[in-house]
Amino acid sequence: MTDKAWKVLGFAIACGCTVWMGTADVQAARTETAVKTGTPVAGMEVYMDQYQQSRKRESTENSAGLTQEKVRYGTFNTIFDNLGVAVVEDSLNIRKEPKNDAEVVGKLRSHAGSSVLSEENGWYKIKSGQVTGYVYGKYLATGQEARAIAYYDMKLMLRVDIETLRVRTQPDTNSEIVGRIHEGETYRYISRNGGWAKIEYNGQTAYTYAPENATIAYTIPEAEKNGDLRYRVVSYAVKFVGNPYRWGGTNPNTGADCSGFIQYVMEHAAGVQLDRTSREQAAEGEAIPSSIMEPGDLLFYSSGREIDHVAMYIGQGKIVHAANRRSGIKISSWNYRRPVTIRRVIE
């Protein structure tokens, strides 16, 4: 079925997107990816119709052997009963409560989708991706208008449902790691070659290995969780893992010490200017307890009376840091030593 023929089926077709993976970036047997329906994206209920069954009867392949092309161009029964789509030029704030001065917990970019949960005094309570909150109803299309927008804007997307997956410059486990994508994140899907998915990552094309049971599908973007800057900073920092430690170095591409590494990452990934040494950096930002640490917070350690080491918290009880000449830039447990202070330098 051609793209043109498929599109005339009507604007109420699209489907959610999930990628199920049991392990990250592994050298698994390169078998064809199995087709399965997955968790809906942006609250869209997804049901495959009889298309797959008819194709099954026409082919010797069983349903587990359907190719990605059949998934891509198959017809779907898609019910957008509760779809809401942002109709703004830039972004629509998602607030913790239905009032204008409530805390912002996320953003819906223009034509991003959500599932409408309820309506209250001109506000909609929505869920989109990992964000649940309230948006002002004037800027959220629903019903037929929302379905029409979604149909014309939907793109093939890939969603990650494991803790972390490596992203590389080429479809090869020996190629450079440019970052990591995290559970619940959704990325523009471009193509697939064996177990490798080609995606759009931070404005460039990159590759991630999805070894088994992957499903890609047409959908529209989800909400961006407030604080996504932290995850971009962490993704940028961990791409330097394995690079060398160099005393006095300030560029982790060629070698950096602990404070040079943190200074470089914060400047290039978050636009935050930090002082040069770990002792000076330990006086910046605000002190926080370990109980509320978030990815991107900085931990400072001491081997004596003065602070002499800094690391970045990346979540799941881990830090990334330029450790020493022997280990280089590596990931460790945050409490491998007791930190003297923990500082928050980005919101």
Side-chain angles (χ1 to χ4, degrees), residues 132-149:
T132 299
Y134 295 86
V135 298
Y136 190 51
K138 178 181 178 180
Y139 304 108
L140 193 75
T142 59
Q144 184 174 352
E145 180 185 1
R147 292 193 292 271
I149 294 171

Side-chain angles (χ1 to χ4, degrees), residues 155-174:
K155 298 177 177 65
L156 282 169
M157 304 288 281
L158 174 149
R159 181 170 177 166
V160 176
D161 282 295
I162 62 170
E163 183 180 315
T164 305
L165 198 66
R166 298 180 185 92
V167 181
R168 297 181 180 271
T169 55
Q170 298 295 327
D172 187 323
T173 54
N174 293 320

Side-chain angles (χ1 to χ4, degrees), residues 22 50 89 214 238 269 294 311 317-318:
Q50 298 303 311
E89 289 186 5
V238 297
E294 295 183 31
K318 303 293 185 181

Side-chain angles (χ1 to χ4, degrees), residues 6 31 36 40 46 64 83 131 141-142 169-170 221 230 312 344:
W6 188 72
T31 56
K36 22 186 326 190
V46 182
L83 180 66
V131 183
T142 59
T169 55
Q170 298 295 327
R230 291 181 169 275
M312 178 185 291
R344 178 160 291 170

Side-chain angles (χ1 to χ4, degrees), residues 26-45:
V26 296
Q27 294 277 21
R30 308 298 175 86
T31 56
E32 282 300 309
T33 302
V35 174
K36 22 186 326 190
T37 56
T39 305
V41 170
M44 303 176 190
E45 294 292 334

Side-chain angles (χ1 to χ4, degrees), residues 14-20 34-48 52 71 76 159 161 213-217:
C15 69
C17 156
T18 298
V19 176
W20 300 89
V35 174
K36 22 186 326 190
T37 56
T39 305
V41 170
M44 303 176 190
E45 294 292 334
V46 182
Y47 299 96
M48 294 193 73
Q52 287 188 348
V71 175
F76 292 87
R159 181 170 177 166
D161 282 295
N213 299 329
T215 302
I216 54 93

